[in-house]
Amino acid sequence: MAPPVNLLDFDLDALTAWCATLGEKRFRAVQLFRWVHQKGESDFARMSDLAKSLRDKLASTAEVRPLKILTEQASADGTIKWLFDVGGGDAVEAVFIPEDDRGTLCVSSQAGCAVGCRFCSTGHQGFSRNLSTGEILAQLWFAEHHLRQRLNTPDRVISNVVMMGMGEPLQNYSALVPALRVMLDDHGYGLSRRRVTVSTSGVVPMIERLQHDCPVALAVSLHAPTDALRDPLVPLNRKYPLAELLAACRQYLAAAPRDFITFEYCMLDGVNDSPEQARQLIALVNGQAGAPRVPCKFNLIPFNPFPASGLLRSPRERVLAFAKILQDAGIVTTVRKTRGDDIDAACGQLAGEVQDRTQVHSRLTRPDVRPVIPITAAPPVQP
Ligand code: SAH
Ligand code: SF4
Protein backbone atom coordinates (compact mmCIF):
# COMPACT_ATOMS: atom_id res chain seq x y z
CA MET A 1 0.00 0.00 0.00
CA ALA A 2 1.22 3.51 -0.81
CA PRO A 3 2.33 5.50 2.24
CA PRO A 4 -0.25 8.06 3.40
CA VAL A 5 -0.11 11.49 1.82
CA ASN A 6 1.03 14.18 4.30
CA LEU A 7 -1.50 17.00 4.10
CA LEU A 8 1.07 19.40 5.57
CA ASP A 9 2.95 19.13 2.27
CA PHE A 10 0.19 20.98 0.38
CA ASP A 11 -0.65 24.61 -0.12
CA LEU A 12 -4.35 25.21 -0.84
CA ASP A 13 -4.01 24.81 -4.60
CA ALA A 14 -2.14 21.55 -4.22
CA LEU A 15 -4.68 20.29 -1.69
CA THR A 16 -7.48 21.24 -4.08
CA ALA A 17 -5.78 19.27 -6.85
CA TRP A 18 -5.33 16.28 -4.56
CA CYS A 19 -8.96 16.45 -3.38
CA ALA A 20 -10.02 16.51 -7.03
CA THR A 21 -8.41 13.08 -7.44
CA LEU A 22 -10.83 11.90 -4.75
CA GLY A 23 -13.69 13.50 -6.67
CA GLU A 24 -14.06 16.37 -4.20
CA LYS A 25 -14.70 20.02 -5.02
CA ARG A 26 -12.54 22.99 -3.97
CA PHE A 27 -14.78 23.99 -1.07
CA ARG A 28 -14.11 20.60 0.52
CA ALA A 29 -10.39 21.24 0.22
CA VAL A 30 -10.92 24.60 1.91
CA GLN A 31 -12.80 22.94 4.78
CA LEU A 32 -10.10 20.35 5.21
CA PHE A 33 -7.34 22.96 5.03
CA ARG A 34 -9.06 25.03 7.74
CA TRP A 35 -9.45 22.00 10.01
CA VAL A 36 -5.78 21.22 9.73
CA HIS A 37 -4.21 24.67 9.92
CA GLN A 38 -6.74 26.82 11.74
CA LYS A 39 -8.02 24.26 14.22
CA GLY A 40 -4.93 22.08 14.47
CA GLU A 41 -7.01 18.97 13.93
CA SER A 42 -5.28 15.81 12.73
CA ASP A 43 -8.03 13.28 13.44
CA PHE A 44 -10.27 13.08 10.38
CA ALA A 45 -13.05 11.49 12.45
CA ARG A 46 -13.45 14.80 14.30
CA MET A 47 -13.85 16.92 11.16
CA SER A 48 -17.56 17.10 11.76
CA ASP A 49 -18.67 19.01 8.67
CA LEU A 50 -17.06 16.55 6.23
CA ALA A 51 -19.17 13.66 4.95
CA LYS A 52 -18.53 10.37 6.70
CA SER A 53 -17.52 8.78 3.38
CA LEU A 54 -14.85 11.46 2.82
CA ARG A 55 -13.57 11.14 6.39
CA ASP A 56 -13.16 7.40 5.86
CA LYS A 57 -11.40 7.95 2.55
CA LEU A 58 -9.04 10.45 4.16
CA ALA A 59 -8.28 8.11 7.04
CA SER A 60 -7.15 5.42 4.64
CA THR A 61 -5.07 7.63 2.30
CA ALA A 62 -3.81 10.68 4.19
CA GLU A 63 -2.41 11.95 7.44
CA VAL A 64 -1.31 15.16 9.14
CA ARG A 65 2.24 14.14 9.98
CA PRO A 66 3.68 15.83 13.06
CA LEU A 67 7.39 15.91 13.85
CA LYS A 68 8.52 13.96 16.86
CA ILE A 69 9.64 16.24 19.68
CA LEU A 70 12.95 15.30 21.20
CA THR A 71 13.26 18.12 23.73
CA GLU A 72 11.59 21.31 24.83
CA GLN A 73 13.51 24.00 26.67
CA ALA A 74 12.05 27.15 28.19
CA SER A 75 14.21 30.19 28.82
CA ALA A 76 13.85 32.50 31.81
CA ASP A 77 12.73 35.22 29.34
CA GLY A 78 9.80 33.17 28.00
CA THR A 79 11.54 31.90 24.86
CA ILE A 80 10.80 28.25 24.11
CA LYS A 81 12.95 26.03 21.94
CA TRP A 82 11.88 22.68 20.51
CA LEU A 83 14.16 20.09 19.01
CA PHE A 84 12.33 18.01 16.40
CA ASP A 85 13.42 14.64 15.08
CA VAL A 86 13.31 14.58 11.28
CA GLY A 87 14.63 11.02 10.96
CA GLY A 88 17.90 9.58 9.73
CA GLY A 89 19.77 10.95 12.74
CA ASP A 90 18.87 14.57 11.93
CA ALA A 91 17.07 16.99 14.22
CA VAL A 92 16.09 20.63 13.70
CA GLU A 93 15.06 23.42 16.01
CA ALA A 94 12.28 26.00 16.18
CA VAL A 95 12.14 28.84 18.67
CA PHE A 96 9.14 30.78 19.97
CA ILE A 97 9.90 34.32 21.09
CA PRO A 98 7.05 36.08 22.93
CA GLU A 99 6.98 39.86 23.02
CA ASP A 100 4.38 42.33 24.29
CA ASP A 101 2.81 42.99 20.92
CA ARG A 102 3.64 39.84 18.97
CA GLY A 103 4.65 36.20 19.06
CA THR A 104 7.44 35.21 16.70
CA LEU A 105 8.33 31.72 15.60
CA CYS A 106 11.80 31.15 14.20
CA VAL A 107 11.57 28.21 11.79
CA SER A 108 14.21 25.90 10.27
CA SER A 109 14.34 25.14 6.56
CA GLN A 110 17.14 22.56 6.33
CA ALA A 111 18.89 19.97 8.48
CA GLY A 112 22.22 21.80 8.65
CA CYS A 113 23.33 24.31 6.06
CA ALA A 114 25.70 24.10 3.12
CA VAL A 115 26.68 27.77 3.09
CA GLY A 116 29.14 27.30 5.93
CA CYS A 117 29.38 30.79 7.43
CA ARG A 118 32.26 30.89 9.87
CA PHE A 119 30.36 32.53 12.71
CA CYS A 120 27.35 30.18 12.60
CA SER A 121 27.07 26.97 14.54
CA THR A 122 24.58 25.54 12.03
CA GLY A 123 27.12 26.25 9.29
CA HIS A 124 29.81 24.46 11.27
CA GLN A 125 27.68 21.34 11.42
CA GLY A 126 27.55 20.88 7.68
CA PHE A 127 24.55 19.94 5.59
CA SER A 128 22.41 16.87 5.67
CA ARG A 129 19.24 17.56 3.70
CA ASN A 130 16.44 19.91 2.78
CA LEU A 131 13.26 19.80 4.85
CA SER A 132 10.02 19.10 3.00
CA THR A 133 7.17 21.63 2.94
CA GLY A 134 5.42 19.40 5.47
CA GLU A 135 8.43 19.44 7.80
CA ILE A 136 8.73 23.23 7.60
CA LEU A 137 5.01 23.67 8.28
CA ALA A 138 4.91 21.01 11.00
CA GLN A 139 7.03 23.34 13.15
CA LEU A 140 4.45 26.13 12.87
CA TRP A 141 1.45 23.77 13.04
CA PHE A 142 2.74 22.24 16.26
CA ALA A 143 3.91 25.45 17.91
CA GLU A 144 0.72 27.41 17.17
CA HIS A 145 -1.71 24.77 18.39
CA HIS A 146 0.41 23.60 21.27
CA LEU A 147 0.81 27.16 22.55
CA ARG A 148 -2.92 27.89 22.20
CA GLN A 149 -3.62 24.89 24.40
CA ARG A 150 -0.91 25.74 26.84
CA LEU A 151 -2.01 29.37 27.16
CA ASN A 152 -5.62 28.26 27.13
CA THR A 153 -6.61 30.65 24.36
CA PRO A 154 -8.60 30.18 21.14
CA ASP A 155 -6.75 33.17 19.66
CA ARG A 156 -3.74 33.16 17.40
CA VAL A 157 -0.49 33.03 19.36
CA ILE A 158 2.06 33.29 16.54
CA SER A 159 1.77 36.56 14.61
CA ASN A 160 5.19 36.54 12.93
CA VAL A 161 7.33 33.88 11.31
CA VAL A 162 11.01 34.36 10.58
CA MET A 163 12.86 31.82 8.46
CA MET A 164 15.94 32.27 10.61
CA GLY A 165 16.32 28.85 12.14
CA MET A 166 18.68 26.24 10.77
CA GLY A 167 19.40 26.33 7.07
CA GLU A 168 19.43 28.66 4.09
CA PRO A 169 15.77 28.93 3.05
CA LEU A 170 16.56 30.07 -0.49
CA GLN A 171 18.60 26.91 -1.06
CA ASN A 172 15.40 24.95 -0.38
CA TYR A 173 13.20 27.06 -2.59
CA SER A 174 10.72 24.51 -3.91
CA ALA A 175 9.72 23.40 -0.41
CA LEU A 176 9.84 26.92 1.01
CA VAL A 177 7.37 28.64 -1.32
CA PRO A 178 4.33 26.38 -0.66
CA ALA A 179 5.07 26.64 3.07
CA LEU A 180 5.07 30.45 2.83
CA ARG A 181 1.78 30.32 0.92
CA VAL A 182 0.13 28.33 3.70
CA MET A 183 1.42 30.83 6.28
CA LEU A 184 -0.13 33.68 4.30
CA ASP A 185 -3.37 31.98 3.23
CA ASP A 186 -6.49 33.34 4.94
CA HIS A 187 -7.71 29.77 5.22
CA GLY A 188 -4.34 28.79 6.69
CA TYR A 189 -2.47 30.91 9.25
CA GLY A 190 -3.54 34.22 7.71
CA LEU A 191 -0.25 35.96 8.48
CA SER A 192 0.49 39.31 6.91
CA ARG A 193 3.20 39.33 4.22
CA ARG A 194 4.97 41.95 6.28
CA ARG A 195 5.13 39.56 9.20
CA VAL A 196 6.65 36.63 7.37
CA THR A 197 10.35 37.14 6.85
CA VAL A 198 12.74 35.12 4.73
CA SER A 199 16.31 35.58 5.87
CA THR A 200 19.02 34.78 3.38
CA SER A 201 22.77 34.85 3.14
CA GLY A 202 22.28 36.09 -0.43
CA VAL A 203 21.17 33.51 -3.00
CA VAL A 204 20.70 36.15 -5.69
CA PRO A 205 18.71 34.21 -8.36
CA MET A 206 16.26 32.99 -5.74
CA ILE A 207 15.71 36.49 -4.37
CA GLU A 208 14.64 37.38 -7.89
CA ARG A 209 12.26 34.41 -8.06
CA LEU A 210 10.77 35.01 -4.63
CA GLN A 211 9.81 38.48 -5.70
CA HIS A 212 7.53 36.97 -8.36
CA ASP A 213 6.42 33.77 -6.63
CA CYS A 214 5.66 34.91 -3.10
CA PRO A 215 6.91 38.33 -1.99
CA VAL A 216 7.32 38.52 1.78
CA ALA A 217 9.58 40.61 4.00
CA LEU A 218 13.25 40.04 3.19
CA ALA A 219 16.19 40.05 5.56
CA VAL A 220 19.67 39.76 4.12
CA SER A 221 22.61 38.66 6.23
CA LEU A 222 25.27 41.15 5.19
CA HIS A 223 27.96 41.01 7.89
CA ALA A 224 30.63 42.86 5.93
CA PRO A 225 30.95 46.06 3.88
CA THR A 226 33.40 44.69 1.30
CA ASP A 227 33.77 41.55 -0.78
CA ALA A 228 37.26 41.06 0.63
CA LEU A 229 35.81 40.59 4.11
CA ARG A 230 32.50 38.98 3.14
CA ASP A 231 34.13 36.25 1.03
CA PRO A 232 35.67 34.47 4.02
CA LEU A 233 32.75 35.17 6.38
CA VAL A 234 29.90 34.12 4.06
CA PRO A 235 31.42 31.82 1.41
CA LEU A 236 28.38 32.27 -0.87
CA ASN A 237 29.65 35.81 -1.48
CA ARG A 238 32.25 34.40 -3.87
CA LYS A 239 29.39 33.30 -6.11
CA TYR A 240 27.13 36.31 -5.57
CA PRO A 241 29.26 39.32 -4.63
CA LEU A 242 27.94 42.43 -2.90
CA ALA A 243 27.17 44.46 -6.03
CA GLU A 244 24.94 41.69 -7.38
CA LEU A 245 23.35 41.09 -3.99
CA LEU A 246 22.51 44.75 -3.51
CA ALA A 247 21.11 44.98 -7.03
CA ALA A 248 18.82 42.01 -6.26
CA CYS A 249 17.73 43.67 -2.99
CA ARG A 250 16.88 46.89 -4.72
CA GLN A 251 14.98 45.05 -7.42
CA TYR A 252 13.09 43.03 -4.79
CA LEU A 253 11.67 46.18 -3.26
CA ALA A 254 9.59 46.77 -6.38
CA ALA A 255 7.28 43.93 -5.27
CA ALA A 256 8.06 43.59 -1.57
CA PRO A 257 5.40 44.15 1.11
CA ARG A 258 7.78 46.50 2.91
CA ASP A 259 9.67 49.39 1.40
CA PHE A 260 12.99 48.47 2.93
CA ILE A 261 15.32 45.50 3.24
CA THR A 262 16.51 44.49 6.68
CA PHE A 263 20.24 43.94 6.71
CA GLU A 264 21.46 41.69 9.48
CA TYR A 265 24.97 42.30 10.66
CA CYS A 266 26.58 40.03 13.19
CA MET A 267 29.08 42.01 15.27
CA LEU A 268 32.40 40.18 15.47
CA ASP A 269 35.10 41.56 17.71
CA GLY A 270 37.92 43.11 15.69
CA VAL A 271 36.61 41.66 12.42
CA ASN A 272 33.75 43.81 11.11
CA ASP A 273 32.95 46.28 13.90
CA SER A 274 35.19 49.34 13.37
CA PRO A 275 33.94 52.89 12.74
CA GLU A 276 35.65 52.80 9.34
CA GLN A 277 33.66 49.70 8.41
CA ALA A 278 30.44 51.41 9.51
CA ARG A 279 31.27 54.24 7.10
CA GLN A 280 32.03 51.74 4.33
CA LEU A 281 28.62 50.18 4.93
CA ILE A 282 26.91 53.54 4.61
CA ALA A 283 28.71 54.13 1.32
CA LEU A 284 27.71 50.65 0.15
CA VAL A 285 23.98 50.97 0.82
CA ASN A 286 23.90 54.58 -0.36
CA GLY A 287 25.25 53.51 -3.71
CA GLN A 288 28.65 55.19 -3.47
CA ALA A 289 30.65 51.97 -3.65
CA GLY A 290 29.64 50.74 -7.06
CA ALA A 291 26.39 49.09 -5.88
CA PRO A 292 22.91 50.63 -6.23
CA ARG A 293 21.33 52.52 -3.33
CA VAL A 294 19.09 50.29 -1.25
CA PRO A 295 16.45 51.59 1.20
CA CYS A 296 17.22 49.56 4.30
CA LYS A 297 17.29 49.12 8.04
CA PHE A 298 20.13 47.55 9.95
CA ASN A 299 19.77 44.99 12.65
CA LEU A 300 23.05 44.57 14.52
CA ILE A 301 23.25 41.13 16.11
CA PRO A 302 25.67 40.65 18.98
CA PHE A 303 27.64 37.55 17.97
CA ASN A 304 26.69 34.48 19.98
CA PRO A 305 29.99 32.77 20.46
CA PHE A 306 30.63 29.05 20.30
CA PRO A 307 34.05 27.57 20.86
CA ALA A 308 34.74 26.14 17.38
CA SER A 309 34.29 29.56 15.74
CA GLY A 310 37.40 31.10 17.26
CA LEU A 311 35.55 34.44 17.17
CA LEU A 312 34.44 36.81 19.91
CA ARG A 313 31.46 39.10 20.47
CA SER A 314 32.12 42.80 19.94
CA PRO A 315 32.08 44.78 23.19
CA ARG A 316 28.78 46.56 23.76
CA GLU A 317 30.31 50.07 23.47
CA ARG A 318 31.65 49.21 20.04
CA VAL A 319 28.27 47.89 18.90
CA LEU A 320 26.60 51.09 20.12
CA ALA A 321 29.25 53.30 18.49
CA PHE A 322 28.76 51.39 15.21
CA ALA A 323 24.98 51.79 15.48
CA LYS A 324 25.36 55.52 16.11
CA ILE A 325 27.42 56.05 12.97
CA LEU A 326 24.71 54.35 10.88
CA GLN A 327 21.94 56.25 12.67
CA ASP A 328 23.70 59.58 12.19
CA ALA A 329 23.72 58.81 8.46
CA GLY A 330 19.92 58.47 8.61
CA ILE A 331 19.78 54.66 8.55
CA VAL A 332 17.35 53.13 11.03
CA THR A 333 19.47 50.77 13.10
CA THR A 334 18.54 48.50 15.97
CA VAL A 335 20.68 46.32 18.16
CA ARG A 336 19.00 42.96 18.52
CA LYS A 337 18.21 41.90 22.03
CA THR A 338 19.63 38.49 22.66
CA ARG A 339 16.77 36.22 23.58
CA GLY A 340 16.93 32.72 24.94
CA ASP A 341 20.70 32.51 25.13
CA ASP A 342 20.48 30.56 28.38
CA ILE A 343 19.01 27.70 26.33
CA ASP A 344 21.22 28.22 23.24
CA ALA A 345 18.20 29.48 21.31
CA ALA A 346 19.71 32.77 20.20
CA CYS A 347 20.72 33.53 16.60
CA GLY A 348 23.35 31.22 15.28
CA GLN A 349 23.20 28.91 18.27
CA LEU A 350 20.75 26.51 16.70
CA ALA A 351 22.72 23.40 16.11
CA GLY A 352 20.15 20.61 16.29
CA GLU A 353 21.67 17.32 15.36
CA VAL A 354 22.92 16.95 11.83
CA GLN A 355 24.54 14.13 9.93
CA ASP A 356 27.19 16.11 8.08
CA ARG A 357 26.99 14.72 4.58
CA THR A 358 29.17 17.42 3.12
CA GLN A 359 32.12 17.33 5.50
CA VAL A 360 31.79 21.07 5.99
CA HIS A 361 32.54 20.66 9.66
CA SER A 362 35.91 19.09 9.05
CA ARG A 363 36.73 21.71 6.41
CA LEU A 364 35.87 24.55 8.75
CA THR A 365 37.89 23.18 11.63
CA ARG A 366 40.95 21.91 9.76
CA PRO A 367 43.92 23.78 11.24
CA ASP A 368 45.52 24.42 7.83
CA VAL A 369 42.56 26.43 6.57
CA ARG A 370 42.12 28.56 9.68
CA PRO A 371 42.14 31.38 10.28
CA VAL A 372 40.65 32.38 6.96
CA ILE A 373 39.11 35.54 8.33
CA PRO A 374 41.50 38.44 8.03
CA ILE A 375 41.40 39.37 11.70
CA THR A 376 43.54 42.40 10.95
CA ALA A 377 40.85 43.82 8.64
CA ALA A 378 39.49 46.04 11.40
CA PRO A 379 41.70 48.80 12.73
CA PRO A 380 41.72 49.14 16.51
CA VAL A 381 38.96 51.32 17.92
CA GLN A 382 39.96 54.76 19.13
CA PRO A 383 39.48 55.05 22.89
N1 SAH B 1 20.57 31.12 6.48
C1 SAH B 1 19.84 32.30 6.70
C2 SAH B 1 18.88 32.20 7.87
C3 SAH B 1 19.36 31.49 9.11
S1 SAH B 1 20.62 32.28 10.05
C4 SAH B 1 20.77 33.49 6.86
O1 SAH B 1 21.96 33.30 6.98
O2 SAH B 1 20.26 34.62 6.82
C5 SAH B 1 19.72 33.57 10.89
C6 SAH B 1 20.59 34.75 11.29
O3 SAH B 1 21.47 34.41 12.38
C7 SAH B 1 21.47 35.25 10.18
O4 SAH B 1 21.44 36.65 10.08
C8 SAH B 1 22.83 34.80 10.63
O5 SAH B 1 23.82 35.57 10.05
C9 SAH B 1 22.74 34.97 12.11
N2 SAH B 1 23.76 34.23 12.83
C10 SAH B 1 24.36 33.09 12.48
N3 SAH B 1 25.26 32.72 13.40
C11 SAH B 1 25.24 33.65 14.37
C12 SAH B 1 25.92 33.78 15.61
N4 SAH B 1 26.79 32.88 16.03
N5 SAH B 1 25.63 34.86 16.37
C13 SAH B 1 24.71 35.76 15.97
N6 SAH B 1 24.03 35.66 14.81
C14 SAH B 1 24.29 34.62 14.02
FE1 SF4 C 1 23.69 28.87 6.79
FE2 SF4 C 1 22.62 31.19 7.58
FE3 SF4 C 1 24.27 29.80 9.19
FE4 SF4 C 1 25.25 31.01 7.04
S1 SF4 C 1 24.31 32.00 8.80
S2 SF4 C 1 25.72 28.91 7.70
S3 SF4 C 1 23.57 30.75 5.59
S4 SF4 C 1 22.28 29.16 8.49
Side-chain angles (χ1 to χ4, degrees):
M1 214 174 71
V5 164
N6 180 9
L7 298 187
L8 295 179
D9 274 326
F10 294 146
D11 62 16
L12 186 53
D13 283 347
L15 185 65
T16 303
W18 183 75
C19 283
T21 66
L22 303 180
E24 299 290 340
K25 299 239 161 54
R26 184 175 169 90
F27 81 95
R28 288 284 177 222
V30 170
Q31 281 177 313
L32 181 56
F33 196 75
R34 292 172 69 104
W35 273 111
V36 172
H37 294 291
Q38 294 192 340
K39 302 204 180 87
E41 188 56 77
S42 56
D43 181 354
F44 300 118
R46 286 208 283 256
M47 300 186 178
S48 50
D49 54 2
L50 301 185
K52 170 88 171 63
S53 58
L54 174 58
R55 283 186 266 158
D56 291 345
K57 224 182 312 176
L58 288 169
S60 63
T61 50
E63 66 177 343
V64 179
R65 196 178 303 150
L67 293 175
K68 198 167 128 212
I69 297 156
L70 294 174
T71 58
E72 178 188 282
Q73 288 171 278
S75 157
D77 66 16
T79 301
I80 305 174
K81 178 171 89 168
W82 294 281
L83 180 66
F84 296 102
D85 184 358
V86 292
D90 292 325
V92 300
E93 294 174 319
V95 182
F96 174 66
I97 307 147
E99 283 171 282
D100 292 343
D101 57 342
R102 67 184 117 168
T104 303
L105 189 71
C106 176
V107 171
S108 292
S109 56
Q110 298 180 312
C113 182
V115 177
C117 300
R118 307 199 66 81
F119 49 83
C120 172
S121 61
T122 305
H124 273 252
Q125 285 201 309
F127 176 69
S128 181
R129 69 171 176 89
N130 280 329
L131 299 187
S132 64
T133 299
E135 289 168 330
I136 296 172
L137 280 174
Q139 300 168 56
L140 174 60
W141 181 80
F142 165 78
E144 174 64 37
H145 298 291
H146 171 79
L147 289 168
R148 276 191 212 177
Q149 254 182 7
R150 188 150 151 172
L151 303 171
N152 198 16
T153 173
D155 300 332
R156 177 158 80 190
V157 178
I158 294 166
S159 57
N160 295 54
V161 169
V162 290
M163 297 302 304
M164 291 187 190
M166 296 166 66
E168 169 47 59
L170 294 187
Q171 287 189 339
N172 185 14
Y173 191 78
S174 59
L176 174 73
V177 168
L180 295 176
R181 290 193 175 126
V182 175
M183 294 173 195
L184 301 176
D185 201 308
D186 283 340
H187 298 299
Y189 296 87
L191 300 180
S192 144
R193 281 182 194 279
R194 304 155 66 90
R195 290 170 174 264
V196 173
T197 301
V198 168
S199 175
T200 180
S201 54
V203 191
V204 165
M206 296 300 149
I207 294 176
E208 288 160 7
R209 282 182 61 183
L210 189 66
Q211 172 184 359
H212 300 291
D213 293 340
C214 192
V216 291
L218 187 68
V220 171
S221 298
L222 208 56
H223 309 311
T226 60
D227 287 324
L229 182 57
R230 197 166 188 267
D231 279 351
L233 284 176
V234 183
L236 196 64
N237 195 69
R238 295 188 204 124
K239 199 160 177 196
Y240 307 114
L242 282 169
E244 281 179 37
L245 177 57
L246 267 75
C249 289
R250 193 181 153 76
Q251 183 66 34
Y252 189 83
L253 288 175
R258 290 184 182 271
D259 52 10
F260 60 89
I261 300 286
T262 303
F263 286 127
E264 291 162 283
Y265 196 96
C266 180
M267 300 292 291
L268 303 165
D269 185 16
V271 174
N272 64 356
D273 61 352
S274 73
E276 174 56 20
Q277 286 163 322
R279 287 188 283 273
Q280 287 175 331
L281 265 187
I282 295 166
L284 182 74
V285 301
N286 281 343
Q288 294 148 17
R293 195 185 102 75
V294 180
C296 62
K297 291 187 180 176
F298 268 84
N299 196 350
L300 305 182
I301 314 174
F303 171 58
N304 292 307
F306 57 99
S309 72
L311 297 162
L312 297 172
R313 176 184 289 191
S314 304
R316 184 146 181 90
E317 320 76 77
R318 209 171 316 145
V319 176
L320 295 178
F322 198 92
K324 182 156 189 317
I325 296 173
L326 296 177
Q327 284 157 351
D328 287 349
I331 301 173
V332 175
T333 303
T334 50
V335 178
R336 185 177 294 173
K337 272 186 286 172
T338 303
R339 297 287 304 262
D341 50 358
D342 54 337
I343 54 166
D344 279 355
C347 287
Q349 290 183 319
L350 303 187
E353 196 61 52
V354 171
Q355 303 303 307
D356 181 7
R357 302 188 206 282
T358 54
Q359 307 306 314
V360 166
H361 178 71
S362 52
R363 280 207 309 278
L364 281 173
T365 49
R366 250 174 35 215
D368 55 320
V369 293
R370 293 179 69 207
V372 174
I373 298 161
I375 302 289
T376 51
V381 179
Q382 305 304 317

